[in-house]
Structures are given as C-alpha cells and as structure tokens.
Amino acid sequence: MRRYTSRMATPNLLMIPGPIGLTPEVLRALSEPQRGHLDPNFMQAFARVLKRLREVLGAPQAQPFVVAGSGTLAMEMAVANLVQPGERALVVNSGYFSDRIGAMLELHGAQVTHVRSEPGDFPSLDEVERALASGRFKLMTVTHVDTSTGVLAPVEALAKLARTHQALCVVDGVCSVGGEALEQDAWGIDVAFTASQKALGAPPGLAALLAGPRAMEAWKARTKPVAAMYLDFAQWLPIHQAYEAGTPSYFATPAVNLISALDVSLGQLLEETMPARVARHVRLAKAARAAWTALGLEPVTKREELTAHTLSAIRYPAGVDAALVKHVAAAGVNIAGGLHPALKASSFRVGHMGAVTPGALLETVGALERGLRAAGHRFEPGAGVAAVQRASM
Ligand code: PMP
C-alpha cells in the first residue's frame, strides 16, 4: 500500500519513445496563470515559437504552422493540403507510421505506391529511385525515425532523389526533430512535421509543420479546396502571419499553455545548440547500444547506420516476453512494449531523447537488468551499467 501511494505521488522515470520527461523550467511554464490567446506576452511567445522552429529545422524560408493536436494531426495537415484526389504519392515505408501516412493519403484520394523493406531494414536508394522513375509522383513521404522499428532513414539522400524526380519531399519528423540531424532547407525537404511531446521536450498536444516554398506553391496551385477546415493552410496562414507581425487574430483557440511550454523547451534546445544536441543524442544512443550488447540483447535494426539515436527497439531474448516491461516498471522505469504488428510480441522500446542524461540512462539500464533478472534472462549483473559508464564517461 505504501509503495502504491508513493508511486502515485512520484511517477516512474519516463523512458518511453514519447511523451518524454520535462525539464523543471518547462513544467513551470505550464503552471503560470492562464493568459488569453491575444495577451501580448503570449503573442510574443507564439511568434518566438515559430521563429525557433525555423532555427531548429534549419528552415529560414519555411512557413511554420503550430496547431493544437498530436503528430497525427500534423501528418494529416501535410496530406490534406498537398494532395488532391487522383494524384500519386510514394511512401518510402519503414514501419507502422509509414503505413499510417499511406492510409491517410488514400483516405484523401491519393493513389499510393509503397516501397517497403523487412521491419528493421530500409529500402535501398536504388529501389526508391526506380519507384520514383516509374511514374509522376506529386509527393514522396519518408518517416525520419520510425518509432515502431527504431529505423533512421537516410533523409538527405532521399530528398535529393525526390527533387530529381520533381516530387515534393514530405518528412515525418515526429520522432526525430530536436534529436536527429535534420536540415530542412539544405537537404531540400519541402514539408517536415513533428509533435511537441518527443525530442522537442514539451508536453503532448501540439502539432508542428514547416512548409517550404515549393510546398506552399503546390498548395496555392490546388484546383480543389482542402476538405477539412481545421487542417486548411488557408485558415491558419493569416493567423500565423498575424502572430509573427504582433497583431491579434483568431481562427481557432490556440493551446496557449502548451505553446508557452514549447517556447521554453525550444529556448533550452537552442541554448544547447542543435549540433551539440544531436551529438549528445548520438553519444547516448551509442552508450545504450553498448548496454544492450553487454546484456546479450539484439537491436531490431539490421545495421548500425540504420539505428536511430532517439530510441532503441530491442528484441526480447529467448524465454523473455512482454512481461519484461512490467518487471522494469516495478524497478522504477517505464519503457514501452512493441508496436509494429510483426514485432509486437518480440520486441520492446526504450526512448532516449530530449533532456535525458547519462544518469537517466544508467537508471534505465539498471532497472532493465533487474527486469531481465526477474524474467529469467541470464547475464552478468552490472554488465549493462558498466557498458554505459564506459561509453559515456
Ligand atoms: N509519426 C511517428 C514517427 C511517430 O512516432 C508518431 C507517434 N509515436 C506519430 C507519427 C504520431 O504522433 P501522435 O501519436 O502524436 O499522433
């Protein structure tokens, strides 16, 4: 009973692939007195968020949109504004969230072609190029980090291919933006979208999308209206422009408190600087990989260069099943089970993005060791923890 009460008061260390733990400063921003959506202080925060997102994504030319909703809403905003019924779309498919955008494109009337690989692998650039050459595609989608497999896509090379074949390049950066290297303008990405609750370090509830000049042109050239008012750039563009110009405007009530929290987390992110933040994620991911190996565990990803730095997807060792996640929770750390239908019963996932420290990774690996022991897996106690120490000191 005592334990139950204390766990209610202090939740476990949150190491799932989003939402992630928040810094005290972000939490404080959430507990500020409520402001109105036209409060001058909030208007400045909103304008700063848009400016800061351009910096985080390396997209000075892009038009940012930040609306209340999750990553799925950002995905649907990209789809609804860019495709018209009958147009063709190519989905470079690396897992569950690539399937989702494919289904969404079909729902909005696109003719969808998938280039797929085994879960944990990624289609070759040759396969993608052949697919692009096989027809006139309005757009190509890439999931930068597929959260169901832990696979990191070679976005820069893919964006180049899309451009060569005159297809817009749309990147799902929900599990990458703020943690992985991503240079929207320099890499020629037309739309990148993300959500607040992952490597950007804010609570869930905000969808963010940055549309580059070619994407905005494609939207302007539509012959049919966008069939969803809440998703339509036409509704949101004047509002976002007004906030940046410091003039009040209204279409639908913005998520005032979440935007204020995102302003703080983006400020912290840019203070760290994106290059330093990406380097830290790479270091932590390497330390995490060293721990999995030391504990006799195998990643889902087939090759190291395909492995994301924001999360790890790991196979259960022989004799261990999804009960492991509960054993690790009992040791004080929340990790996630499998998500991809083909991997659900055979893998689990650990998030290591945002303000995560080597100390948090040590705690996670320590709890994982306890969970593995409770699940009957044999290994040298402390081997994972020692591997993190060696790799991160
Ligand atoms: N794309 C990716 C790559 C994701 O990881 C997620 C969420 N895990 C989504 C899209 C959907 O985001 P949300 O759950 O915020 O709707």
Side-chain angles (χ1 to χ4, degrees):
M1 187 59 197
R2 243 185 82 219
R3 179 174 173 164
Y4 177 72
T5 310
S6 71
R7 278 226 259 142
M8 287 294 279
T10 311
N12 274 349
L13 179 66
L14 188 59
M15 296 294 281
I16 63 174
I20 66 163
L22 306 176
T23 65
E25 294 77 13
V26 171
L27 284 169
R28 255 200 309 279
L30 286 166
S31 61
E32 291 260 310
Q34 184 67 51
R35 291 178 191 273
H37 60 293
L38 302 179
D39 174 293
N41 183 298
F42 171 66
M43 285 179 31
Q44 283 169 16
F46 200 162
R48 244 186 341 258
V49 161
L50 303 182
K51 185 171 147 284
R52 286 175 164 171
L53 280 173
R54 287 195 190 93
E55 273 183 64
V56 169
L57 282 105
Q61 301 189 62
Q63 174 60 51
F65 296 90
V66 176
V67 299
S70 74
T72 305
L73 186 97
M75 184 185 275
E76 196 138 31
M77 199 178 208
V79 167
N81 284 282
L82 291 184
V83 294
Q84 304 194 82
E87 288 178 335
R88 298 191 64 186
L90 183 70
V91 174
V92 183
N93 194 318
S94 52
Y96 183 90
F97 290 101
S98 309
D99 284 341
R100 176 172 295 186
I101 199 166
M104 211 177 253
L105 283 158
E106 278 177 5
L107 201 60
H108 287 264
Q111 288 180 39
V112 181
T113 304
H114 291 262
V115 186
R116 292 177 192 275
S117 58
E118 292 282 294
D121 207 343
F122 199 83
S124 72
L125 292 178
D126 280 352
E127 286 170 281
V128 175
E129 172 127 53
R130 271 200 301 279
L132 279 167
S134 73
R136 175 79 185 88
F137 289 94
K138 172 77 172 284
L139 59 84
M140 179 187 93
T141 71
V142 183
T143 312
H144 193 183
V145 169
D146 195 288
T147 323
S148 70
T149 57
V151 166
L152 175 70
V155 169
E156 186 176 6
L158 290 164
K160 204 180 261 177
L161 286 181
R163 180 143 296 199
T164 307
H165 291 273
Q166 276 126 44
L168 294 169
C169 180
V170 175
V171 173
D172 173 348
V174 173
C175 200
S176 72
V177 171
E180 302 282 358
L182 180 71
E183 296 289 338
Q184 184 168 350
D185 273 13
W187 294 0
I189 295 164
D190 297 297
V191 167
F193 62 84
T194 190
S196 47
Q197 77 273 19
K198 301 209 194 220
L200 290 183
L206 290 176
L209 179 150
L210 282 86
R214 292 201 320 160
M216 291 308 285
E217 284 309 312
W219 166 70
K220 282 187 199 135
R222 290 179 69 95
T223 53
K224 299 178 190 109
V226 172
M229 190 186 282
Y230 189 74
L231 298 174
D232 194 348
F233 286 171
Q235 298 294 345
W236 289 112
L237 183 60
I239 306 304
H240 284 73
Q241 287 171 334
Y243 272 98
E244 284 214 274
T247 51
S249 194
Y250 166 78
F251 160 55
T253 308
V256 172
N257 315 52
L258 296 178
I259 289 171
S260 303
L262 180 61
D263 178 36
V264 173
S265 69
L266 291 176
Q268 293 186 322
L269 192 158
L270 289 169
E271 197 180 346
E272 182 177 9
T273 78
M274 266 316 287
R277 192 166 171 100
V278 169
R280 179 168 59 78
H281 280 74
V282 169
R283 266 197 316 276
L284 278 170
K286 223 168 143 186
R289 260 200 315 276
W292 319 143
T293 305
L295 295 172
L297 307 176
E298 274 183 30
V300 165
T301 44
K302 304 259 187 218
R303 295 186 298 285
E304 191 166 331
E305 71 269 21
L306 290 179
T307 307
H309 305 104
T310 48
L311 85 153
S312 295
I314 309 149
R315 290 188 190 276
Y316 293 121
V320 175
D321 63 17
L324 175 67
V325 175
K326 291 201 183 91
H327 290 308
V328 178
V333 177
N334 285 2
I335 60 172
L339 177 64
H340 192 294
L343 298 165
K344 210 172 169 58
S346 59
S347 70
F348 64 100
R349 297 167 306 142
V350 179
H352 30 77
M353 63 186 119
V356 59
T357 58
L361 188 60
L362 281 171
E363 194 176 335
T364 305
V365 172
L368 178 64
E369 288 195 5
R370 288 176 175 274
L372 284 168
R373 172 55 63 103
H377 180 56
R378 294 173 66 86
F379 60 95
E380 177 65 33
V385 170
V388 172
Q389 291 286 41
R390 271 195 301 275
S392 64
M393 283 202 315

